[in-house]
Amino acid sequence: MEVAVVSTKNVGARIDGGLDTYRGMWKGLLIAAAVWPVWHWYVLRVTDGSDEPWGVVALLSATVVILWQYQESYRKNDIYNGFAASTLLCYVLLYDTVPPLARAMLAAGALWLTVAHQVRSAAALGILIALSLPIVSSLEFFLGYPIRFVLAHCTAQIVSLMNDQTVVVHGTLLTLGQRVVALDAPCSGIRMLWVGLFIAALTACIRLMPLKPTLAIVFYALRVVFLCNLLRSVCLFYKESGLVVLPEWTHEGIGLLCFTLASVCIIRRGCIYES
Amino acid sequence: MHYLTPEPPLKLLPLIALLVAQTLINFGTARAQSEEHFQRTLAPYFESSADDDSLQGFPLKGTDVYVSIAGVIADVTVRQVYKNEGRDTIEATYVFPGSTRAAVYALTMEVGERKIVAQVKEKEEARATYEKARAEGKTTSLLEQHRPNVFQTSVANILPGDTVVVELRYTELIVPTDRSYQFVFPTVVGPRYSNYPAEGAPRSESWVENPYLRADTPSPAGFTIAVHLEGGLPIQALSSSSHAVNVNYASASIADVSLTNPTARDATKDFILNYRLAGNQVETGLLMFDGGNEKFFLAMIEPPFDVKADQIPNRDYVFVLDVSGSMHGFPLDTAKQLMHQLLSTLRTTDTFNVLLFSGNSSVLADSSLAATPENISRAEAMISQQWGGGGTELLPALSRALKLPRAENVARSIVIVTDGYVAVEREAFDLIRKNLSIGNVFSFGIGSSVNRFLIEGLAHAGMGEPFIVTSPQAGSQAATQFKKYIQSPVLTHSKLQFSGVDAYDVEPESIPDVFAARPVYVVGKFRGKEQGTIRLTGQAGKGEFEKTLQLDPHSANERNGALKYLWARQRLQRISDYQKVEPNSETKREITTLGLTYNLLTEFTSFVAVDQSVRRNSSDQIRTVKQPLPLPEGVSEFAVGGGISTAPEPGTWLMIIIGSIGLLFVVRRQLHVKIWK
């Protein structure tokens, strides 16, 4: 029985070779040490309560992927090393100028470029590293209202088609007669999007997808999550407006059901991939 | 790269999901139509009575207000006339506003020829007394406080044809701003938004569910107001900015004001009366009242009208700017613009410092810097580099700001700029109150949903002013207002000393600086004879300032009986700030004791009056009628509607768990594929 080329053999080699197998990682570790202010900021940021700390989960996942897939000289490394050095240089030059999150992105980019040529699913790993940064509140700030605006209008159209009354939209407020439902900040679906992308990236890592399939599954995840969020919005409008009488626990239940549907679609997409 | 063909059932998964959802919707809709009830929150609604008893739906026939202002104390009598023009016995409830400074101290009820004086009782006890009298068929009235500025009158057993008059009295201190006195009588409570579930809502919240009239429907209840003003000094510039009024002068210092042509629209906006009194120096005044068991005093310090440049002492500012994660983006951008405008108001003779805080804090300099263009540029550069991140550790930042070294003879103002998303309000108020002698505190709340309780509480505790800034344009206006308000602190390092008199329970505990725009008043109690002195010292623009007030036995005036209510109100306001956050039993007891001792309406005490005549058989029905309120002027009908529900996402950790379970299938799939290969 053939054993997996990437997984079992490498693990065996790593067990036999011990730390020598990771000797090529010294560059990455050196860069990680050099950007220690970013680590300091990161720890403060994820523990201060201003953002959800789930980026740590993505960071740990990325670490596991690196340790699992790491292979010396998997790809030609000159180009990657060059880009890594350039990114690190940008980090140093722009340190005082850019905000902390941008600094963290440059540092993360340099780290990723250092190991990207030595892992099979480099693109997916990069996405995991990006998701590990505390970006949810920033995404909420910049994308939250536009998403809610689009959701509100789509929801209004769908519900109006299914009812004999028209749903009126005022910004992100949906009005049906005297009933008003607001799609406020926690309704934007940014968290669903984050988890959806996390699942897509991790699926791509596990399935050892190269660049194109990784991008395909990521864009697929974006579409699916949006559609499932829309489905959630429509269902919850019926519940919250009182058109449908359901117990309170179904509020979260409907959300989880819609998210499960999205997860199933994403994972199914990853499972049917074959290189 | 190619994809395996998915199994047929999975292709139909989306369709199956839609079918299930549609089934649920149809089933649920049928249930909803048959039961017609759904979870909702408290919300105001539109009155829609159109039956024969429509007149009975408006039991309040009129509100007559009589205001007597003597100097800086206003005594207000509000007469509410209820009449039952229907066929059923009714209970009328009416929600109405009041001044947040009002000390409601009396309530009477007139039923025909009988006049019943209400008693103040603990809130639940008063409610029980009222319910018992209602059940027994006795005409009874209850006055409750739901908010410091929202009250409710309930009158039960108003028989057909009955007229019941409820009269309440309150007193308040009128504190001038910019040398201009303003008396405000609020007329209507606007529709309120609440996300409190309607089912099981307590009385302190259920008042929100009140009927409102449509915007184009005038209220059938009449409204009149008459003001008798005795200024003590010649009155200048007496007018109303809200209503058309007639002014008659009995003398240079006495005037009577009334509405020109009272209409229903007069009750849809606050009545605002503005006036000035002659005077040009920092005035001090002393009022005293001998209440038998306790003696009260009120000391008032007014700044001069025209502040000359050499009268203005040097100023020192400490700007405390929130740069935490919650300020990231728009709030911090607005705050930066505001800081730019605030820094531009500084004179070169002023000094300033900037303290930035999030999880930690950092200062521009160890001690205040001169407000030179170079130092201001340095400060602006430091501020512009902030992008918002970290926690909001307000208390350590405030402590550090209060401990920053201050030069002698300098008035310090601490300016806090934050969105207020903290949970340490009580501790912050306490810290500021204890350090009032160090400086005043002004607060700027940045954003559309700031923690107003904190912002207003900080300013209230710091004897400053709160500003809410929702946009960069609003920031410019706020900075201008702040500059105007603070540009002339006339008296700093103020201290009150009592000689030959045993003064105690003085409110406030520390004396803040005196600004040109706002006087300072101190109320307290004293023991012994009306003798001795109260000495006010401080630093003025021209140097040391001192004013001594002599307690004179002849100064105690029975007309100053309002002082006991004003003192109690002042203390209530201070301890009520704590009560809002931590309803601990000791504070509640203190508030209740104050209310019962001084006969005041409070959060935990109510007035109840019972006419002992049984006028309705207990078996007869009684109908509760909520008096519909007019929409305040300028408020659209969108303010009234059903409860607003929301649709937040499920918890992130739950989604991660679901994803993790799904990923196990991916791992299994990966191992299966490799083994199959």
Side-chain angles (χ1 to χ4, degrees):
Chain A
M1 178 169 65
E2 245 188 71
V3 296
V5 173
V6 173
S7 59
T8 314
K9 182 182 174 183
N10 276 0
V11 168
R14 279 190 274 278
I15 291 170
D16 291 341
L19 290 176
D20 287 344
T21 310
Y22 297 105
R23 63 180 181 275
M25 273 198 190
W26 66 269
K27 289 193 293 284
L29 291 172
L30 210 59
I31 291 174
V35 299
W36 68 265
V38 171
W39 291 111
H40 178 67
W41 165 83
Y42 185 78
V43 170
L44 289 177
R45 191 77 162 84
V46 297
T47 54
D48 69 6
S50 62
D51 211 332
E52 291 190 357
W54 300 112
V56 176
V57 175
L59 184 64
L60 290 172
S61 305
T63 307
V64 168
V65 167
I66 292 171
L67 291 173
W68 168 46
Q69 292 187 10
Y70 186 81
Q71 195 174 8
E72 198 69 33
S73 303
Y74 175 66
R75 295 191 188 92
K76 199 169 171 53
N77 61 9
D78 291 343
I79 295 173
Y80 283 92
N81 284 341
F83 275 121
S86 306
T87 309
L88 197 59
L89 188 63
C90 289
Y91 164 83
V92 171
L93 292 175
L94 299 174
Y95 185 87
D96 277 331
T97 317
V98 297
L101 188 59
R103 268 182 236 151
M105 283 178 177
L106 287 169
L111 278 170
W112 174 66
L113 285 164
T114 308
V115 297
H117 59 285
Q118 284 159 319
V119 296
R120 185 94 173 250
S121 54
L125 176 67
I127 293 169
L128 273 182
I129 291 174
L131 290 175
S132 71
L133 296 172
I135 54 172
V136 172
S137 61
S138 299
L139 285 177
E140 190 70 67
F141 184 81
F142 291 106
L143 295 180
Y145 184 77
I147 291 176
R148 287 188 286 127
F149 186 85
V150 171
L151 272 180
H153 280 79
C154 293
T155 304
Q157 291 291 327
I158 293 171
V159 175
S160 298
L161 283 171
M162 290 161 71
N163 282 276
D164 53 5
Q165 280 179 287
T166 305
V167 176
V168 179
V169 186
H170 299 280
T172 57
L173 273 182
L174 299 164
T175 310
L176 181 66
Q178 289 291 325
R179 301 174 171 112
V180 181
V181 177
L183 294 185
D184 56 3
C187 310
S188 62
I190 291 289
R191 281 156 189 78
M192 273 178 72
L193 186 66
W194 187 93
V195 182
L197 287 175
F198 173 71
I199 293 171
L202 210 46
T203 300
C205 285
I206 294 169
R207 296 307 319 274
L208 306 173
M209 291 184 185
L211 178 64
K212 270 192 187 171
T214 301
L215 291 178
I217 195 173
V218 164
F219 284 119
Y220 177 78
L222 287 172
R223 293 196 302 273
V224 159
V225 168
F226 178 80
L227 287 172
C228 289
N229 200 22
L230 178 59
L231 177 64
R232 182 182 73 92
S233 175
V234 170
C235 293
L236 286 179
F237 179 84
Y238 273 92
K239 180 193 172 294
E240 293 301 320
S241 64
L243 289 172
V244 172
V245 176
L246 292 170
E248 195 53 39
W249 63 264
T250 55
H251 186 112
E252 187 136 24
I254 289 171
L256 287 173
L257 197 64
C258 293
F259 177 75
T260 304
L261 183 63
S263 303
V264 166
C265 292
I266 296 168
I267 285 167
R268 185 66 199 159
R269 177 85 177 210
C271 283
I272 63 176
Y273 161 76
E274 184 184 359
S275 63
Chain B
M1 173 189 80
H2 64 272
Y3 289 90
L4 298 174
T5 308
E7 293 93 352
L10 287 167
K11 262 187 177 175
L12 299 174
L13 193 60
L15 185 59
I16 294 168
L18 280 172
L19 282 172
V20 169
Q22 187 65 46
T23 308
L24 277 175
I25 288 164
N26 289 341
F27 176 68
T29 307
R31 264 193 76 189
Q33 285 169 352
S34 64
E35 292 183 10
E36 272 207 20
H37 76 271
F38 50 88
Q39 281 189 354
R40 58 186 179 85
T41 56
L42 290 171
Y45 56 94
F46 283 116
E47 170 65 20
S48 59
S49 61
D51 54 18
D52 292 339
D53 282 339
S54 59
L55 283 175
Q56 197 172 48
F58 300 88
L60 179 71
K61 297 305 164 193
T63 301
D64 302 310
V65 182
Y66 181 72
V67 185
S68 173
I69 302 175
V72 295
I73 298 177
D75 192 271
V76 183
T77 302
V78 180
R79 242 175 109 83
Q80 297 167 351
V81 181
Y82 299 87
K83 186 163 184 179
N84 185 354
E85 294 176 321
R87 294 190 297 265
D88 306 321
T89 301
I90 62 170
E91 174 194 27
T93 66
Y94 174 47
V95 175
F96 62 100
S99 166
T100 51
R101 295 195 293 260
V104 181
Y105 63 87
L107 181 80
T108 57
M109 178 177 71
E110 294 172 23
V111 184
E113 300 294 321
R114 298 183 299 283
K115 190 166 184 175
I116 299 101
V117 177
Q119 289 180 308
V120 69
K121 292 187 176 183
E122 191 273 327
K123 196 165 196 173
E124 295 306 319
E125 190 187 340
R127 183 86 210 157
T129 304
Y130 173 82
E131 292 292 345
K132 183 167 176 281
R134 179 181 182 273
E136 289 172 352
K138 300 174 182 174
T139 300
T140 176
S141 63
L142 177 69
L143 177 64
E144 298 171 291
Q145 174 180 313
H146 294 311
R147 296 285 190 274
N149 59 344
V150 177
F151 309 115
Q152 177 171 323
T153 309
S154 304
V155 185
N157 293 314
I158 306 177
L159 270 56
D162 264 1
T163 299
V164 177
V165 178
V166 174
E167 188 177 283
L168 64 98
R169 294 186 70 175
Y170 72 82
T171 185
E172 68 172 294
L173 196 65
I174 300 179
V175 181
T177 305
D178 278 335
R179 304 297 294 171
S180 179
Y181 292 80
Q182 186 177 79
F183 171 76
V184 178
F185 182 81
T187 57
V188 66
V189 176
R192 302 291 176 94
Y193 165 73
S194 172
N195 57 9
Y196 217 104
E199 200 174 318
R203 278 192 64 78
S204 59
E205 302 297 325
S206 59
W207 61 271
V208 170
E209 211 165 46
N210 203 79
Y212 278 82
L213 299 168
R214 293 280 176 183
D216 56 0
T217 306
S219 170
F223 172 74
T224 64
I225 184 165
V227 181
H228 177 76
L229 171 60
E230 291 185 21
L233 291 168
I235 301 167
Q236 296 173 356
L238 176 61
S239 66
S240 170
S241 53
S242 59
H243 293 68
V245 295
N246 294 325
V247 180
N248 293 311
Y249 286 91
S251 70
S253 62
I254 298 176
D256 287 287
V257 181
S258 58
L259 295 177
T260 303
N261 275 319
T263 64
R265 294 188 66 80
D266 290 326
T268 63
K269 50 191 172 180
D270 293 351
F271 176 80
I272 301 172
L273 188 70
N274 302 298
Y275 61 96
R276 288 177 179 269
L277 302 174
N280 208 24
Q281 295 293 320
V282 176
E283 287 188 37
T284 54
L286 188 63
L287 299 175
M288 291 192 294
F289 173 69
D290 186 347
N293 293 335
E294 291 177 315
K295 298 180 181 180
F296 299 85
F297 72 88
L298 165 68
M300 195 139 183
I301 309 158
E302 293 184 60
F305 179 55
D306 285 318
V307 178
K308 302 291 183 281
D310 62 350
Q311 289 181 328
I312 303 174
N314 294 330
R315 291 171 295 159
D316 176 70
Y317 297 92
V318 176
F319 296 99
V320 181
L321 176 61
D322 181 353
V323 293
S324 64
S326 58
M327 291 285 285
H328 175 78
F330 169 75
L332 191 56
D333 289 340
T334 305
K336 285 177 184 175
Q337 291 200 31
L338 174 67
M339 286 298 301
H340 170 72
Q341 281 142 6
L342 290 173
L343 289 170
S344 66
T345 66
L346 304 184
R347 303 173 302 167
T348 50
T349 51
D350 296 327
T351 53
F352 78 103
N353 207 339
V354 177
L355 187 150
L356 306 176
F357 77 95
S358 54
N360 298 315
S361 62
S362 57
V363 287
L364 177 66
D366 292 332
S367 58
S368 295
L369 304 172
T372 60
E374 294 77 28
N375 287 334
I376 289 179
S377 295
R378 234 179 95 191
E380 292 196 347
M382 179 186 175
I383 293 166
S384 66
Q385 284 169 9
Q386 303 305 313
W387 293 93
T392 315
E393 292 292 341
L394 176 64
L395 282 180
L398 275 181
S399 294
R400 191 174 178 189
L402 290 165
K403 286 176 188 159
L404 287 171
R406 173 169 77 148
E408 293 291 322
N409 306 328
V410 169
R412 168 166 282 183
S413 292
I414 296 173
V415 182
I416 303 171
V417 182
T418 177
D419 56 8
Y421 288 154
V422 295
V424 290
E425 291 99 329
R426 182 179 181 227
E427 290 84 349
F429 302 156
D430 206 17
L431 180 64
I432 287 168
R433 278 205 186 88
K434 285 183 163 60
N435 291 280
L436 265 179
S437 56
I438 293 177
N440 299 87
V441 173
F442 295 83
S443 55
F444 285 81
I446 307 291
S448 60
S449 302
V450 299
N451 181 353
R452 285 178 182 256
F453 173 50
L454 177 84
I455 303 299
E456 290 172 0
L458 286 172
H460 174 78
M463 302 295 276
E465 278 291 317
F467 300 86
I468 304 294
V469 178
T470 57
S471 68
Q473 294 76 25
S476 174
Q477 289 163 10
T480 305
Q481 217 174 359
F482 172 75
K483 177 185 175 182
K484 189 181 164 197
Y485 194 77
I486 204 172
Q487 67 184 357
S488 304
V490 179
L491 205 62
T492 62
H493 296 80
S494 309
K495 282 193 184 119
L496 267 182
Q497 290 161 316
F498 301 90
S499 300
V501 58
D502 180 14
Y504 64 103
D505 283 349
V506 177
E507 299 283 344
E509 293 169 322
S510 301
I511 307 298
D513 296 338
V514 178
F515 293 92
R518 176 170 52 82
V520 170
Y521 60 90
V522 178
V523 289
K525 301 178 187 175
F526 66 97
R527 299 186 186 95
K529 294 183 180 176
E530 289 85 0
Q531 62 187 23
T533 59
I534 300 176
R535 186 164 150 256
L536 172 71
T537 57
Q539 285 291 326
K542 291 178 180 173
E544 297 278 339
F545 173 86
E546 182 182 317
K547 181 85 176 182
T548 301
L549 304 173
Q550 189 76 36
L551 275 78
D552 181 356
H554 301 295
S555 302
N557 196 327
E558 285 177 1
R559 291 182 62 185
N560 295 332
L563 290 187
K564 65 179 179 191
Y565 302 125
L566 294 176
W567 175 85
R569 189 70 190 88
Q570 207 47 29
R571 172 146 292 190
L572 276 169
Q573 193 165 26
R574 176 169 64 79
I575 61 180
S576 286
D577 284 348
Y578 291 100
Q579 183 62 29
K580 282 173 197 166
V581 183
E582 286 186 29
N584 57 72
S585 59
E586 189 177 330
T587 310
K588 183 179 173 181
R589 261 199 303 275
E590 195 177 348
I591 292 174
T592 307
T593 304
L594 274 170
L596 295 175
T597 305
Y598 294 96
N599 218 58
L600 285 184
L601 180 70
T602 70
E603 198 176 337
F604 300 110
T605 56
S606 303
F607 281 94
V608 62
V610 179
D611 178 13
Q612 295 300 329
S613 309
V614 175
R615 306 178 70 236
R616 173 183 68 88
N617 294 327
S618 52
S619 57
D620 292 344
Q621 294 295 315
I622 178 171
R623 196 176 131 205
T624 299
V625 179
K626 293 183 182 179
Q627 175 76 15
L629 305 177
L631 278 175
E633 192 172 88
V635 174
S636 82
E637 291 186 355
F638 273 111
V640 179
I644 296 180
S645 304
T646 59
E649 298 176 77
T652 311
W653 66 276
L654 280 171
M655 291 193 284
I656 288 179
I657 288 173
I658 289 170
S660 302
I661 294 169
L663 286 167
L664 289 175
F665 286 95
V666 179
V667 171
R668 181 171 168 271
R669 177 70 176 170
Q670 177 67 9
L671 290 174
H672 174 76
V673 166
K674 294 304 174 190
I675 290 169
W676 179 74
K677 273 187 175 176

